[in-house]
Amino acid sequence: AARLSGGGENRLVSLPLSRIRVIMKSSPEVSSINQDALFLTAKATELFVQYLATYSYKHGRGKEKNALTYSDLSHTAEECETFQFLADILPKKILASKYLKMLEKEKQDGEVGEEDEDDEDEEDEDETVNEDVGS
């Protein structure tokens, strides 16, 4: 489709160009933004979001419910190599109780790991002393 000049560009993209401009200007490396670059960034972003949504819908459980869910998006980010860079942005949802249990387990594992390291250090010191005595 041919691009219209001036204000017609806004009709070819769904995302607000003013928001895209603000996001682009938030980078310290960007001093000025060409209108063509702004339009192309907005269009590329729109197409990417559309592709992500379509892929997630087709490969997720949303097809069964005729809906796209957050879990479909997070599953796509986790399982599809193309979208793995989004895994931190679209993490799988877990219940707060499960998260608290995970934190508690990590804390316990960390304490056990520290105790094991201390025990190994003590064993190393004992071996060193025994070697000195034997000489």
Side-chain angles (χ1 to χ4, degrees):
R3 203 168 38 108
L4 303 173
S5 62
E9 290 178 358
N10 292 336
R11 288 184 228 140
L12 296 176
V13 292
S14 299
L15 299 173
L17 295 179
S18 60
R19 289 287 188 150
I20 303 287
R21 180 181 282 113
V22 168
I23 293 169
M24 290 174 74
K25 282 191 174 184
S26 70
S27 174
E29 293 89 24
V30 175
S31 58
S32 64
I33 300 167
N34 181 322
Q35 278 300 110
D36 289 338
L38 178 63
F39 172 78
L40 291 174
T41 301
K43 192 64 178 175
T45 303
E46 189 176 302
L47 292 172
F48 172 76
V49 170
Q50 183 179 7
Y51 179 67
L52 171 63
T54 304
Y55 185 94
S56 298
Y57 178 79
K58 286 180 180 177
H59 294 89
R61 285 180 264 152
K63 249 183 167 177
E64 300 164 6
K65 301 176 185 177
N66 202 23
L68 178 64
T69 64
Y70 178 87
S71 62
D72 294 335
L73 293 169
S74 65
H75 180 73
T76 297
E78 189 174 296
E79 299 299 324
C80 179
E81 188 175 330
T82 304
F83 298 110
Q84 282 186 346
F85 73 97
L86 296 172
D88 292 338
I89 297 168
L90 293 168
K92 285 197 175 217
K93 283 187 177 181
I94 61 171
L95 297 174
S97 57
K98 285 185 180 181
Y99 179 71
L100 293 173
K101 287 178 185 177
M102 285 173 39
L103 286 177
E104 188 62 35
K105 184 177 179 184
E106 285 179 9
K107 185 178 178 183
Q108 289 174 355
D109 290 347
E111 290 173 359
V112 170
E114 290 173 9
E115 290 173 9
D116 290 345
E117 288 176 11
D118 292 341
D119 292 344
E120 289 175 8
D121 290 343
E122 290 174 8
E123 289 173 10
D124 291 344
E125 289 173 6
D126 292 343
E127 289 175 10
T128 305
V129 170
N130 291 338
E131 289 174 4
D132 290 340
V133 172
S135 302

